[in-house]
Amino acid sequence: MSLSYAATVPRHLVHRRSPGDVLLTDYETVDGTHRAAVQFPTSHRMFAPVRRTHDSLMVAEALRQAISLFCHVNHGVPLDHVVFIEHSRFEILDPLSVDDIDDSLVAESITTDVTFENESLDNMKLSARLLNGIHLVASGTASVRTIGPEVYSQFRKSTIADPHFRFLPAGTEVVPPSSVGRLDPSDVVLARHTSDGTIVVAPDPRNLAMFDHSVEYLPGVTMLEAARQALRLATETPALDFTSCEVRFMGFAEWTNPCSVIVDTDSTDGVYRIQFEHDGEVLSAMSVTATSEPWLASTDRSSR
């Protein structure tokens, strides 16, 4: 079976409302390997290609959507369950030029371990890779936990964002867009306490490029963008983009109870460590590598 790029997969399988935010177009399973056709937009408000190469978080989102798709289609996870990625890692091995993709991008995934509770999938570990034709452009791993509605309701209280305004804690102001590589303040997901400079995650729910539907907690891709903006701010390098990222999520970041961001820029091994905390409790920890160098050499760009 050959994968088709003619239309997107059903949007509910990847938990997106807008068809324009669905990055997968087809799927199949061959000899135990799950394969999904991937199609990146050539423009995007939040994750637009830079220097004619695709944004690293677009790669991360494609892998996330593939995980969601395969959980529902191949592992029988009900659509009302939360697919909670507790631990994941991705690495971009080769820059993905917008000029080199012609219906050939495929996300492949192999499930390496599955555990069940009451005959339902409870935990799953998998490895994944992103191929452009025969060329490997990114790889990753993930550990996934599925949470049913009853357990979810006991686990936390829902705090859906008010879609009409941005919640800013008292004494904070939105970080200047230019300091985090953005042009529009609504694309900035960080705010700073004017008293001590503490940085908190405070995105704007009116930004439909990031929140195409109301969500009860801050999605993983929002936290990744918060980490990237925090790293850009701390290093004073607005052009930084991830080349790899390892992240653990220990809890949910809430809209009306913003978590703080702590960036360790004292990197001797080229790895930056970023932590999200609330009331002394760690919600997420990330280890990332990043670069501000052009993905493609000028000779490569000029020849296209």
Side-chain angles (χ1 to χ4, degrees), residues 5 15 26 59 65 99 103 115 120 133 198 232 238 244 274 276:
Y5 293 81
H15 298 271
D26 198 7
V59 174
Q65 290 192 16
D99 302 304
D103 289 354
T115 59
S120 297
T198 301
R232 290 171 172 175
S244 71
I274 305 166
F276 295 84

Side-chain angles (χ1 to χ4, degrees), residues 1-5 23-30 33-40 54 58-59 61-67 69-70 91 93 96 100-110 127-140:
M1 174 181 175
S2 61
L3 293 170
S4 171
Y5 293 81
L23 304 180
L24 309 183
T25 61
D26 198 7
Y27 58 91
E28 64 181 1
T29 298
V30 179
T33 299
H34 309 311
R35 305 177 72 243
V38 180
Q39 193 169 61
F40 287 150
H54 284 289
M58 191 65 76
V59 174
E61 172 62 8
L63 293 176
R64 183 207 66 79
Q65 290 192 16
I67 290 171
L69 173 76
F70 297 139
E91 181 178 8
L93 305 171
L96 196 56
D100 291 342
I101 301 174
D102 184 20
D103 289 354
S104 60
L105 200 59
V106 175
E108 290 190 346
S109 174
I110 297 175
S127 61
R129 59 182 189 165
L130 190 64
L131 297 167
N132 185 20
I134 62 173
H135 301 292
L136 179 63
V137 295
S139 64

